[in-house]
Amino acid sequence: MNSSQAQFASPILTLTVNPALDISTSTDLVYSGHKLRCNGSHIAPGGGGANVARVLHRLGGHALALYTAGGTTGDTYRKLMEAEGIPALVATVDGDTRQDFTVDEASTGKQFRFVLRGAELHENEWRRFLELAKRSIRAGGYVVASGSLPPGVPDDFYARVARLARQADARCIVDTSGPALAEALAEGVFMVKPSRRELAELLGATLDSEESHINAISALLENGSAECVALTLAEAGAVVATKAGVIRLAVPSVQVVSTVGAGDSFLAAFVLRLAQGYPVNAALATAVASGSATVMTPATELCRPDDVARLEAEIVARAANPS
Ligand SMILES: Nc1ncnc2c1ncn2[C@@H]1O[C@H](COP(=O)(O)OP(=O)(O)OP(=O)(O)O)[C@@H](O)[C@H]1O
Ligand SMILES: [Mg+2]
């Protein structure tokens, strides 16, 4: 990236309506009936939009993170975001910010993830969140709506965000699943980043071949659901469709430690590159590098910038000299 691209990057706003304090640890073996003595623990501010803002920041970009926070867990969450230097706009809510718990089983390499249900958001709270989003969306900028919705928030929440973005002449990017994803696509967004599992669930299809992937993402483009569809395929990389065509990219060879946060890292890098004015193929290279760099780090830890730069260089070199 050159400095003028960084300086003139379009503004990015990330939304996290269902954040979670991610607590992670490891133990030798998980079994029932006895106390499981754990090794050291790590705590991080998680949730889709927040992770996107954190990775963007690590990669030298800037995003404003709008998130809800409540109770003592919410206070800790804010402090952790502040400690990482993430510019934030906090919507204070009544319910406690939820916590997630991840345990790596050291003797087997298995991972156990306990995802707690968030506290219910009252109607006045989610409406206020939308109001704050509306005030923070910038014309020509990007709005990244990522993660699940907490109880109490209607399924069309991200569809409402997409409408606000369109009215403000901004681009809405959605990464979620189930009915919230379906409603956002029915409204129409700039970009969507489903994983294979999320897209298969949405379409009620298996998506087990390259042809099925390309057909599915092309259909979303043609019916106006999105202008850019990035389907991530875990260890098989990603495939992106825009009106300019379809591009596929394989992952570099990495040692897989924990896949948590891979999709958020992919999306952060992709948006950062678009906001800096890079073309889609360059954005995809940084995105795959960033997703793959995150699987090299333990538990909920996100990518290290050095790994991203190294993997990106590998991807670019491979594209220039395909063997
Ligand atoms: N096993 C892996 N090896 C190498 N890279 C991986 C692996 N898993 C994920 N990645 C990287 O992370 C990106 C996103 O992964 P994935 O498709 O699993 O999305 P996700 O959003 O994390 O999935 P989900 O939301 O369903 O949990 C991939 O495109 C790839 O770059
Ligand atoms: Mg995902």
Side-chain angles (χ1 to χ4, degrees):
M1 170 204 349
N2 64 43
S3 59
S4 66
Q5 272 165 318
Q7 201 174 347
F8 298 114
S10 308
I12 302 168
L13 172 70
T14 72
L15 309 183
T16 316
V17 73
N18 198 17
L21 263 187
D22 284 327
I23 300 163
S24 53
T25 187
S26 65
T27 193
D28 195 45
L29 193 66
V30 176
Y31 53 91
S32 66
H34 288 282
K35 285 180 183 169
L36 301 172
R37 299 281 172 198
C38 296
N39 300 314
S41 60
H42 179 81
I43 184 162
N51 279 342
V52 168
R54 293 169 65 212
V55 171
L56 256 153
H57 191 73
R58 282 172 196 210
L59 299 183
H62 290 283
L64 174 66
L66 168 57
Y67 58 88
T68 60
T72 48
T73 44
D75 291 341
T76 306
Y77 192 95
R78 276 179 213 231
K79 285 188 187 135
L80 290 168
M81 289 291 272
E82 266 168 37
E84 288 195 30
I86 313 297
L89 184 59
V90 183
T92 305
V93 294
D94 272 351
D96 291 348
T97 297
R98 72 190 167 124
Q99 299 173 80
D100 286 345
F101 192 54
T102 302
V103 182
D104 287 338
E105 192 180 55
S107 59
T108 61
K110 282 188 198 161
Q111 188 172 64
F112 297 84
R113 295 183 72 186
F114 301 89
V115 176
L116 305 187
R117 196 177 137 95
E120 184 161 334
L121 226 58
H122 308 309
E123 180 169 350
N124 65 320
E125 292 176 330
W126 63 257
R127 285 195 184 278
R128 177 148 180 282
F129 188 95
L130 285 177
E131 188 51 44
L132 290 172
K134 184 177 173 183
R135 280 191 233 156
S136 309
I137 294 172
R138 297 284 169 266
Y142 294 84
V143 186
V144 183
S146 174
S148 57
L149 301 178
V153 172
D155 290 340
D156 71 349
F157 188 76
Y158 289 148
R160 290 172 191 247
V161 171
R163 226 170 294 147
L164 292 178
R166 190 176 313 117
Q167 285 160 2
D169 208 12
R171 293 171 172 152
C172 180
I173 299 180
V174 171
D175 180 3
T176 191
S177 57
L181 174 62
E183 298 254 2
L185 293 177
E187 176 64 34
V189 296
F190 167 68
M191 175 177 169
V192 63
K193 190 223 83 61
S195 62
R196 183 183 0 220
R197 178 184 57 79
E198 288 161 346
L199 191 59
E201 185 197 79
L202 179 84
L203 302 175
T206 46
L207 300 187
D208 51 6
S209 67
E210 213 171 287
E211 193 190 358
S212 66
H213 302 154
I214 293 174
N215 288 343
I217 61 179
S218 304
L220 291 181
L221 222 60
E222 277 153 27
N223 70 13
S225 297
E227 292 171 46
C228 175
V229 183
L231 169 63
T232 56
L233 302 161
E235 70 286 346
V239 50
V240 177
T242 63
K243 67 174 187 310
V246 173
I247 327 174
R248 223 168 310 128
L249 200 59
V251 293
S253 154
V254 290
Q255 202 193 340
V256 181
V257 178
S258 163
T259 60
V260 181
D264 300 332
S265 303
F266 175 101
L267 187 56
F270 202 102
V271 181
L272 175 65
R273 288 302 194 217
L274 291 187
Q276 289 170 336
Y278 283 81
V280 168
N281 61 341
L284 180 59
T286 321
V288 167
S290 180
S292 297
T294 292
V295 307
M296 297 166 62
T297 60
T300 54
E301 280 179 39
L302 300 171
C303 51
R304 290 181 286 249
D306 289 357
D307 290 332
V308 178
R310 183 174 51 78
L311 295 178
E312 184 183 11
E314 250 177 58
I315 290 169
V316 171
R318 192 185 60 201
N321 294 301
S323 50

